[in-house]
Amino acid sequence: MIKSSLVCIAVAISVFTTGCASSSSSSGSVNPNLKKDEPQFFSKSGGSACLIGATIAGLACLGIKDDNKASACLIAATAGCAAGMTANYMLDKTRADYHNLEDQLDASKKQVQDSINSTKTLKATSEQTLEEDRAEIEKLKAQIKNGTASKDALERKLADMQANLDYMKKRLDSDKSTLAEYKSLRDSLNNGEGGKPALNNMDAQRKSEELDAKIDELERNIAQLDSSIVAYASQTSMLKNDVGQIGI
């Protein structure tokens, strides 16, 4: 029984670290500049909820009568992770940390602003990285042409660009998920699921409108980041074609 418990707990943690956390699927290296102003956890609330959901589900699978309990635990923990991430974790944490509606709205607005700053930084660095990569690609092509570099150099560059692209896409997915969480939190607070106003409803209404404006700003910035990533993906695809053409 103890051994089975340890298996289930290990599986639950594994689901969190491999399925909920982000990792690069490429053999290349991510440009460290892209990680400037990176959130502590891409989706901190979702990640915590995932761990909680996966662990609870993993422990619950102890009651499953299955010859392959590890497999049963994996299925249960994966489902638990998904279920946990749909819970309104952000609302629960906001209510726990702040007790009146005005403070909850102010804290939420600050969180959204932090996300805006992070998204803006990634957009700027992704565009800068694209320009630098384009220049390096042209330099490598010229070196290959005159015999001072080999195709391997271009292949390594492609691997690094793919790693950059994978990272940017994961950050974008995280930003979109966080935006959805912010919207859910705002709706919950507006529907009276948060604290009571400390002063008057007029002040709370003003702060709610400020939060709305910040969420709209974040949504616009995410759309702009998406466009920048599309441009980077296009350049990566072009390089892949170029690498394939060399030596034919």
Side-chain angles (χ1 to χ4, degrees):
M1 184 69 174
I2 294 174
K3 184 177 180 180
S4 297
S5 300
L6 292 175
V7 168
C8 286
I9 292 170
V11 169
I13 293 173
S14 176
V15 168
F16 170 66
T17 56
T18 60
C20 300
S22 64
S23 61
S24 177
S25 60
S26 169
S27 60
S29 301
V30 176
N31 187 328
N33 288 332
L34 293 172
K35 297 187 177 184
K36 290 189 297 186
D37 203 15
E38 180 185 79
Q40 282 188 332
F41 192 91
F42 286 2
S43 181
K44 190 173 183 180
S45 59
S48 300
C50 172
L51 178 58
I52 293 168
T55 303
I56 291 173
L59 290 173
C61 81
L62 291 174
I64 298 174
K65 293 182 179 180
D66 194 317
D67 292 336
N68 189 352
K69 191 173 286 289
S71 176
C73 286
L74 177 60
I75 295 170
T78 302
C81 176
M85 290 183 74
T86 62
N88 204 340
Y89 176 90
M90 191 176 283
L91 173 62
D92 292 341
K93 189 173 189 314
T94 300
R95 286 190 299 199
D97 292 345
Y98 307 95
H99 303 298
N100 65 69
L101 183 57
E102 291 91 339
D103 287 347
Q104 290 170 351
L105 290 167
D106 280 339
S108 300
K109 185 175 74 172
K110 183 181 182 304
Q111 283 184 291
V112 178
Q113 183 61 59
D114 289 344
S115 292
I116 290 170
N117 295 341
S118 176
T119 301
K120 282 183 174 180
T121 299
L122 180 58
K123 176 181 178 294
T125 53
S126 67
E127 291 172 351
Q128 179 183 354
T129 301
L130 176 58
E131 292 306 311
E132 292 172 352
D133 287 346
R134 279 174 174 164
E136 187 175 350
I137 289 168
E138 292 306 311
K139 181 180 178 181
L140 287 171
K141 284 181 180 179
Q143 290 174 340
I144 291 172
K145 190 174 181 179
N146 64 30
T148 59
S150 68
K151 179 181 177 180
D152 290 346
L154 212 54
E155 290 175 336
R156 288 193 297 271
K157 184 61 188 175
L158 176 60
D160 287 345
M161 288 187 68
Q162 188 61 58
N164 289 340
L165 182 60
D166 290 345
Y167 174 81
M168 285 187 266
K169 285 180 175 179
K170 287 174 183 175
R171 282 281 300 273
L172 178 65
D173 288 343
S174 174
D175 283 353
K176 289 179 178 179
S177 175
T178 302
L179 173 64
E181 291 178 9
Y182 287 142
K183 288 181 176 180
S184 177
L185 172 62
R186 174 199 58 195
D187 293 345
S188 295
L189 294 177
N190 288 342
N191 290 335
E193 297 177 43
K196 299 296 183 183
L199 299 175
N200 55 68
N201 287 328
M202 291 291 292
D203 190 48
Q205 178 62 32
R206 176 179 59 81
K207 291 179 182 293
S208 178
E209 291 171 357
E210 291 173 354
L211 176 58
D212 284 341
K214 285 297 177 185
I215 290 176
D216 289 344
E217 183 180 351
L218 175 58
E219 191 159 20
R220 290 193 299 272
N221 277 276
I222 289 174
Q224 292 167 5
L225 173 61
D226 198 348
S227 297
S228 297
I229 293 175
V230 168
Y232 196 91
S234 177
Q235 183 63 61
T236 304
S237 180
M238 289 171 61
L239 177 56
K240 185 176 182 180
N241 290 335
D242 289 341
V243 170
Q245 291 295 321
I246 295 176
I248 295 178

